[in-house]
Structures are given as structure tokens and as C-alpha cells.
Amino acid sequence: DSIDLDECFDKKHHGGSKRVIHHYSLKNYQRLKDTFPELVEKFVPGSYGENICTEDLDEKDLFVGDIVQIGEVKARLTIPRTPCSTIDKTYEEKGILKNIVQTGHYGWFYEIITPGIINVSDTFEVIERPYGKTCLHDLILQVGRKQEPNIDALKELVESKILDDSWTAKVRRVVGS
């Protein structure tokens, strides 16, 4: 699965069937602008590497396994993004990666269920929520040991097979399995 004309810089750590669409939020960009006001002009949609940017959603609003409709595309939310050192390099400023990790505003990925065309004016809708016990933000904080884990919900995510290998391993370390 791929997005036509999309480029992936680091295929070792990016891409794959569980990471087809990368989504980030204008809310998250605004948080970065508030924290790093000297870099306001750099925090623009697409600069974080996302394919989709929406205004009102963030990691507290969505859950692993959510099925979404965006234009003709039906997709399943699979994993949070794992932020890396290229973030500081991209924005030419140290501390942005640290801030993103501390706040848990990582962005997230989808796998494609039904391919199609997405237009700028298309709406975004969560049409199904099969695993609604732990939002993305809580998952990120629990895996990062910044929040008490919901062991049952984390085990359910591992058993769902929705997470990729990397996130499955992270969650298993927390639940001890």
C-alpha cells in the first residue's frame, strides 16, 4: 500500500502496510508554536512529515483500531508515530524532539482498508471504534511509563494484531508478556 507520489526518506524506519498515512494535527503545531515562538514560521502543515493534517483532532481524540473515512479512503488507525532525532534536524532546533516525547503529541499512522482518492475539502469521520479503552495519548504515556498502564486494554491491543512489531514489543514490555 502506498500514496501516489509520496516520498519516504528512511525506508528502514518508515513506511510499510501499517504506516501508509501519517496524520498530524494543527493543535499539535499550535502547541509547538506556543513552546517555540521563535520558530512559528517553520511549524506548517507537512513539515512534520504528515500526509494529512486536521484542525481539531489530536492523540486524545483517537484510539488504535479506529476505522476512519476520509474522502473515498477507509483506513484503520494502527500506531502512534515514534518521534526520532530527525525532528530536531528538520526544524534546525534542539529540544523539539524532547518536547514532543514529553507531551505525547506524536502524530499517528493508518493502514488502508479501502483505497481511493482524498481531496483537501474531504471530511474526516471516525466510523467505527472497536478498541475504545485507551486513547493514543494514554497509550503513548503508558508505554513511556509516564502514566499507570491499563494492562487489560494494552493486552487487548497486542492481541488485536493492529500494532506493528515495534509498538507490539513496546506494549509487551509494559504488560510483562
Side-chain angles (χ1 to χ4, degrees):
D1 294 338
S2 68
I3 295 177
D4 289 344
L5 305 177
D6 188 37
E7 295 181 21
C8 184
F9 172 72
D10 177 1
K11 293 192 189 242
K12 180 179 178 187
H13 298 104
H14 300 279
S17 65
K18 298 215 181 253
R19 301 179 190 186
V20 177
I21 301 173
H22 178 208
H23 191 158
Y24 203 56
S25 169
L26 288 178
K27 279 177 147 179
N28 290 346
Y29 277 121
Q30 189 58 52
R31 288 179 182 103
L32 290 170
K33 290 176 181 180
D34 293 345
T35 305
F36 301 94
E38 69 282 7
L39 302 174
V40 167
E41 72 285 347
K42 291 187 176 189
F43 297 124
V44 296
S47 65
Y48 191 68
E50 74 277 10
N51 309 99
I52 293 179
C53 188
T54 52
E55 191 169 342
D56 294 326
L57 296 170
D58 69 12
E59 293 79 358
K60 292 180 181 179
D61 300 312
L62 298 166
F63 296 74
V64 170
D66 280 359
I67 308 293
V68 301
Q69 187 77 44
I70 318 160
E72 296 175 358
V73 173
K74 186 190 260 187
R76 177 181 294 110
L77 195 153
T78 54
I79 59 171
R81 174 183 178 166
T82 301
C84 62
S85 63
T86 58
I87 292 170
D88 284 353
K89 292 175 189 171
T90 298
Y91 293 112
E92 301 172 320
E93 180 75 25
K94 289 187 178 205
I96 297 171
L97 171 63
K98 182 178 180 181
N99 175 270
I100 289 169
V101 170
Q102 287 176 338
T103 62
H105 298 294
Y106 287 16
W108 55 94
F109 288 102
Y110 300 93
E111 65 185 349
I112 302 298
I113 297 171
T114 306
I117 295 173
I118 298 173
N119 295 298
V120 172
S121 61
D122 286 338
T123 59
F124 176 97
E125 181 182 4
V126 176
I127 58 174
E128 189 178 335
R129 177 162 287 155
Y131 305 100
K133 294 179 185 169
T134 305
C135 68
L136 281 174
H137 192 252
D138 288 347
L139 172 64
I140 291 164
L141 295 180
Q142 290 172 29
V143 166
R145 313 261 183 194
K146 296 175 185 165
Q147 181 179 314
E148 189 67 31
N150 179 336
I151 299 297
D152 291 338
L154 293 177
K155 284 181 177 179
E156 182 180 51
L157 289 180
V158 168
E159 291 167 7
S160 76
K161 307 265 191 244
I162 294 171
L163 300 171
D164 69 0
D165 292 344
S166 173
W167 273 92
T168 297
K170 290 175 189 181
V171 171
R172 282 191 170 146
R173 283 192 290 274
V174 173
V175 300
S177 67

